[in-house]
Amino acid sequence: MSSSSTATPPKRIETVRFARPTTGQQDEKPKPKPPVKYDALLHDQLRKNTKGPWCPSFSVAFRILVLIRFCSAIYSNISDCDEVYNFWEPLHYLDQGYGFQTWETSPVYSIRSWAYIALHLLPARAIRILNLEKRQSFFGVRAALAILCALCESKFYRAVVEKVNPHVGRYTLFLLATSAGMWSATSAFLPSSFAMMCNMVAFSYALDLPSRLNNQRTFAAILFFATGGIVGWPFSLAVAIPFVLEEMFVYGKDKIKPEAYSTWIAGRWARLVQGGLLASLLFVPVIAIDSLAYGKLTITPWNIVRYNIFPSSATGPELYGTEPWYFYLLNLTLNFNFVLPLALISFPALLVTRFVEYKRLGPRPMTDESSPFVLLTMRLAPFYLWLGILTMQAHKEERFMFPIYPLLCFNAAVALYLVRGWMEVAYIKATSSPYKASRSSIFGTFTLWVILITSFISISRTLSSIMYYHAPLDAVFNLQNAELPRLLNVTNLLITPPPAGSVDDGKNWVSTSKYEEEERHQIDLSPLKAFGGLKLCYGKEWYRFPGHYLLPEGVQAEFVKSEFNGLLPGHFTPSKEGAAGLWAWSRQGARVGHPALNDRNQEVLEFYADISTCDYLIDSDFPLRHSDSRPADLEPRYVADTATWDKVYCHEFLDAANSGRFSRLLWFPGSFWKENGFGFDGGNKFGEYCLLRNRKLAEARESRDWSKAGKV
């Protein structure tokens, strides 16, 4: 038997391949994100391919700005009596049912919009819902304005970063945040401040280049410009003139051949008209609310334009003072220091850059394109236009400049960036090395020091307004939180006991508790009504009255005769009905004006109270201003009349007339500055700003036990 052998086939080997373990091994670093490139009007020439300068996001910018604006809402002064009498007092009447009435809010003239005033009723009422006092309503309204303004500023800043240049945006942010002008304007209850906020939002859209495909830019900018003009201040619409001209004639992103020009411009004009018609619908609620409030058909924007532009021979804004042509230059220098010169040279600087370094503006345009020089000029023009128009007016006020404060900062930021560009060009020519220029820190150090110095001066100016002029607010605070609780205590009407550690010396209530502020606000002042109404009088300090919101219920302000011989406000007809709404206006006093109110600034003697009936008096005393040769029949030194008046509270107050011209502008800590200032101009001098108590009336009132006597 034979055996046969068979060949064994080769074994098939299968292999499994595993991924290499990554544990313990360094992962590859992700590729860095490319730098963000913006479609900007100004282009950096150094470090083009590197990451741009750090610019805070919208959220970070808002948080920075809102903290500063909240501080302004709490600590800033009321710098314009128009803010009190034409806006805070009507709001107080709308909210509480009483307050001062000026001729502007009389239905005979009706040049103040109740629609604008009513917008602020919501935050005022929200505070009352929380069962807080009306004093907190004042700060609640200011806080709401602070939040709104911070939002507008943040949007405006980010638009500058993305549409103009990141460096310019960053400079704009720091100038907005630190300037003394913005400090006072952002928390002011004024139509010009409202117009400023609307302008910032409008410009955040208008900074984009016009295009037939970008309807959002056109309609949004028109809407916010119109809101600032129709709801706020009609004259602020002048700021939009360069935008309108750009929308009508400038190509922007469009590339237009000559044969298509007529079709293109017809489309642009039609879109502009359409946007204007849509925005004009804002007139409907404004006219409706104002007509409801005044009890007759009222177009408030037209009324204010007619009074200021087409006055009669016996009326007009010049009745309230005129200023020289350079008033705004001095005032803006005071609020912005050398930021103003930077803003003024922004267009000349752009003109120089056009010839020295055109590539910073971008590539040269073709015949069917817009020039970058023209586009940037249209964005710098509103500042010059507004300054020129208002300089030509005889009647000038600081608040009239509010609408262009952010644009002033923007123009200054552009000028600073262009000057920095000149330095780069000069450095490259001197070293023949763009690489060395890109590694140099000279340019960043220069701009940093400019921002730091102007911020330092602005902060010092802001502090000077608080340290030198805050006494009018401190005096009424002391009235509510110290004097009136003392009065209730000595008359046995105090419901909440005084703070622990307090001492009643018979004249003033002195607390030694470290929790004084927390304890004082718990005191119920409603028993003040038992006195039948206390009078707080103002004489020559009438223009520093901070408003009834800062006076507790049971205290009403009155005027006593002083050397001022113009028209002071009267009182609204008191109303005890509920708050006015949009559909049913319950404050009937808005429809009635005192017959003596007039637009000729003629004094009305019946608006004055007899000083002997004043329970308290606010007055300032400046010893250096008094002399034996000056008659003092109408403005005697009430502080020195100790037989009639007791000092309740006094705080030092700057005597600007006798202080150094430069020393009074700034504040620095320490006694040396207070006594000497700059030295060469004589330094600062101070008087007193006092709350005085009528001794005779106080003794009669405090000698009774009101807990048993009841109401008078």
Side-chain angles (χ1 to χ4, degrees), residues 324-551:
W325 67 269
Y326 52 82
F327 171 83
Y328 286 126
L329 295 179
L330 295 179
N331 185 262
L332 291 174
T333 301
L334 184 65
N335 286 318
F336 291 91
N337 53 78
F338 57 84
V339 174
L340 175 64
L342 281 174
L344 291 173
I345 69 166
S346 56
F347 177 71
L350 177 62
L351 195 61
V352 171
T353 300
R354 183 178 185 274
F355 294 101
V356 173
E357 194 186 17
Y358 192 95
K359 57 185 177 181
R360 190 170 291 275
L361 305 178
R364 294 185 180 274
M366 304 296 289
T367 56
D368 58 348
E369 294 178 334
S370 294
S371 165
F373 172 78
V374 172
L375 293 172
L376 193 53
T377 297
M378 300 301 289
R379 284 146 183 78
L380 299 177
F383 165 72
Y384 292 102
L385 178 65
W386 186 259
L387 181 61
I389 292 175
L390 266 68
T391 297
M392 291 188 293
Q393 308 306 310
H395 178 61
K396 300 178 177 67
E397 295 188 39
E398 178 179 324
R399 60 190 168 95
F400 294 169
M401 278 289 136
F402 286 2
I404 54 110
Y405 274 6
L407 304 182
L408 187 155
C409 295
F410 167 70
N411 280 39
V414 170
L416 182 59
Y417 175 78
L418 296 178
V419 171
R420 172 177 171 155
W422 302 345
M423 295 175 62
E424 293 175 1
V425 171
Y427 188 95
I428 292 173
K429 286 186 176 180
T431 61
S432 301
S433 175
Y435 175 76
K436 288 183 178 179
S438 67
R439 307 297 295 177
S440 176
S441 61
I442 294 175
F443 318 116
T445 303
F446 165 72
T447 54
L448 174 63
W449 275 105
V450 170
I451 296 296
L452 287 178
I453 292 173
T454 185
S455 299
F456 178 77
I457 297 174
S458 291
I459 293 171
S460 178
R461 172 59 189 167
T462 299
L463 290 173
S464 74
S465 67
I466 298 173
M467 303 302 293
Y468 296 157
Y469 300 106
H470 202 261
L473 296 176
D474 296 333
V476 292
F477 176 83
N478 185 273
L479 173 68
Q480 178 169 343
N481 291 276
E483 168 59 17
L484 295 180
R486 183 207 65 83
L487 174 62
L488 293 178
N489 190 38
V490 299
T491 54
N492 294 322
L493 291 175
L494 188 65
I495 297 176
T496 303
S502 63
V503 178
D504 181 11
D505 63 0
K507 293 184 177 181
N508 293 288
W509 182 46
V510 181
S511 175
T512 59
S513 171
K514 64 179 179 179
Y515 302 110
E516 178 182 354
E517 297 300 328
E518 289 79 358
E519 293 165 341
R520 280 183 177 179
H521 86 278
Q522 301 173 4
I523 295 175
D524 182 8
L525 297 179
S526 61
L528 289 172
K529 298 176 183 177
F531 302 126
L534 298 174
K535 286 185 182 180
L536 174 65
C537 294
Y538 283 77
K540 64 176 181 289
E541 290 297 317
W542 63 269
Y543 60 95
R544 292 196 177 106
F545 171 59
H548 276 98
Y549 264 115
L550 298 181
L551 300 182

Side-chain angles (χ1 to χ4, degrees), residues 21-55:
T22 59
T23 305
Q25 297 187 14
Q26 187 176 1
D27 295 337
E28 291 186 6
K29 294 182 178 179
K31 294 182 179 180
K33 295 181 180 180
V36 179
K37 298 294 184 182
Y38 299 114
D39 186 16
L41 287 172
L42 292 171
H43 304 270
D44 295 341
Q45 297 305 302
L46 298 179
R47 304 180 183 179
K48 296 181 182 179
N49 298 319
T50 60
K51 186 177 180 180
W54 175 79
C55 293

Side-chain angles (χ1 to χ4, degrees), residues 28 50 121 143 153 181 195 234 370 519 579 633 671 676:
E28 291 186 6
T50 60
L121 184 62
E153 288 177 282
S370 294
E519 293 165 341
D633 294 338
S671 58
N676 301 283

